[in-house]
Amino acid sequence: TCTERDGMQAGIAQLPVLLSLATAGLGLLLYSIETPEADRPDSHASGQLPAPSPQPPGAIPKRHVQAESVDLGPELEQILRETRNQDGTWAVLAVSLDLGDTLLARNPRVPMVPASNQKLLTTAAALHILGPDFRYQTFLLSNGAPSNGLLEGDLILYGTGDPTLSDRFFPNETAPLDTLVKHVTEAGIQEVRGDLIVDGSYFTGPELHPEWDASDLNDAFAAPVAAVAFNENLVTVRVEAGSAPQIQPTIQTLPPGSGIPVLNTAITTPRGTRSRVWLFRDMPRDPIGIEGGIPVGGRDVWRELPVPDPLMYAGRHLRQALESAGVSVTGRTRVVRDPTVSVLSDQEVLPARVGGGARVLGVHSSPPLLEILRVVNMESNNLLAETVAKTMGRVTSGDGSFQGGMRAVERFLLRDVGIPRAEILLRDGSGLSARNQVSAGALLQLLRFMATSDHWEAFWSTLPEAGVRRELGRMRNTPASRNLRAKTGTMEGVSSLSGMVRTRSGERILFSILANDHPSEYRAKRAEDRIGVLLASLTREADSSGPR
């Protein structure tokens, strides 16, 4: 966070680069769109990975090592047969990173729904396109000059997509806003005689992906994706029983003052009765309905919900932070989504000034991107994944939409990694869309590319570790525990697990397991665990020098 003046100057120095991207038609196109030779479809019969072209920096040369040939096909068939998911489809591929041979192969070139394994594509691309040290910046601007404690003009919060404005990354959810407000008070401003504007025009297009399941849109994992994301665009509703029967329970929305409409028809029931409370709304912009009963002395009911308008949500809390610091705003709170009406569009950008006479009052910087990517993969956070994807689109081509982000990721996968075009279909950055498609072979090719790149250590650190609580708690007390690292994925009828494990002899095995159209995701995950343990239990001679 930029709290000191030297940090403020550092933030201002980066302003021309960031804000110039808001200019219509501008963008830094990092990749050509031509189709490389590696995109041409190849045989789907083989489990072998096609060689990346060109060879990535720091690639490990192919080793000519004699090793015992291993056929784990019968064990794989037995594991899959015992899941009793007879109608589902499996795609499994396991390849030795050290020796290059294939240990397991079943439908390796068939595109499948990856669920949250899609985040492997997003986070790998982000490390290469943005870099692990990339930081988001949020700006507080004014379009007037302060004088004698008054600001004759608007106060503008301009976001570039920072998803860390929350207590996940800072002491509390308001700390980043308090940092920006501190710059206002240091400038001597006590009253703003204008509007409070939240400018989210850095991202374009819908904030909710049109292919996300409508039944998921009221769940915390489907928060809207905006250029300003306060508290991860979530509000928590707390229902507390009244002191006596027939009294309405107390409803709180947290953080306080969120301005989320609530329709409470619930009642407090006699002590000892069963708690039956329902929180519902048809669509995110509808009021939150609360029905049912909660007993006297019963446990509070908590639920996290996506906010209907993330920009207005941030604006309300910024106004609260200003008022708490003794700064009043006489105008209304409003939002800007259209870049053509943004104060930052079609203007020359100077180090301490932006277009339309606006001035920089304060800058807030996020933690490094690598910290964000660890949350993406460790906790399978969809909002952070989608924000990073939109950011890549904005930085590479000036298109901060879902589609722009997917074009940036696709260019990386096709051009740099060399994945065949027929084996991927990218619809979003998180895996929430059921229309995403990726083959097990494509995921392994990505993992091998990362293992031979300069970003392997960073990428590896984002993957959940087996046997570790709050990461990948499965496979405890097995050879895979504290050894195997992999990204999970789950949605209705879909389960996935892709990563790397070391054998007992230290050989590094890359693997991808995708299950589609299965009646039990739980049984599919049991099969994934058995495959992981099978690979971790293998013993044969191999040269395991190189990346971890």
Side-chain angles (χ1 to χ4, degrees), residues 83 102 143 152 190 232 255 367 409 497:
T83 65
T102 299
N143 57 9
E152 294 284 356
Q190 298 174 337
E232 298 186 11
V409 176
L497 188 72

Side-chain angles (χ1 to χ4, degrees), residues 27-31 129 391-399 404 408 411:
L28 305 178
L29 184 60
L30 300 186
Y31 299 110
I129 294 173
T391 302
M392 287 187 279
R394 189 67 171 88
V395 168
T396 59
S397 66
D399 184 357
R411 283 194 295 268

Side-chain angles (χ1 to χ4, degrees), residues 470-491:
R470 299 182 66 85
E471 289 189 23
L472 180 57
R474 297 146 47 186
M475 293 173 267
R476 293 178 185 169
N477 302 317
T478 73
S481 181
R482 307 305 297 262
N483 167 13
L484 179 148
R485 285 200 175 201
K487 181 72 194 79
T488 58
T490 311
M491 61 194 311

Side-chain angles (χ1 to χ4, degrees), residues 235-238 251-262 288:
V235 63
T236 299
V237 179
R238 177 189 181 191
I251 309 300
Q252 285 183 296
T253 57
L254 303 171
S258 296
I260 307 299
V262 175
I288 299 169

Side-chain angles (χ1 to χ4, degrees), residues 308-343:
D309 186 336
L311 302 186
M312 185 60 73
Y313 183 56
R316 288 193 185 99
H317 287 281
L318 177 58
R319 183 181 284 267
Q320 285 184 192
L322 287 164
E323 291 173 350
S324 297
V327 180
S328 63
V329 181
T330 59
R332 61 193 178 98
T333 301
R334 56 190 178 92
V335 302
V336 171
R337 289 182 169 85
D338 184 351
T340 64
V341 300
S342 169
V343 71

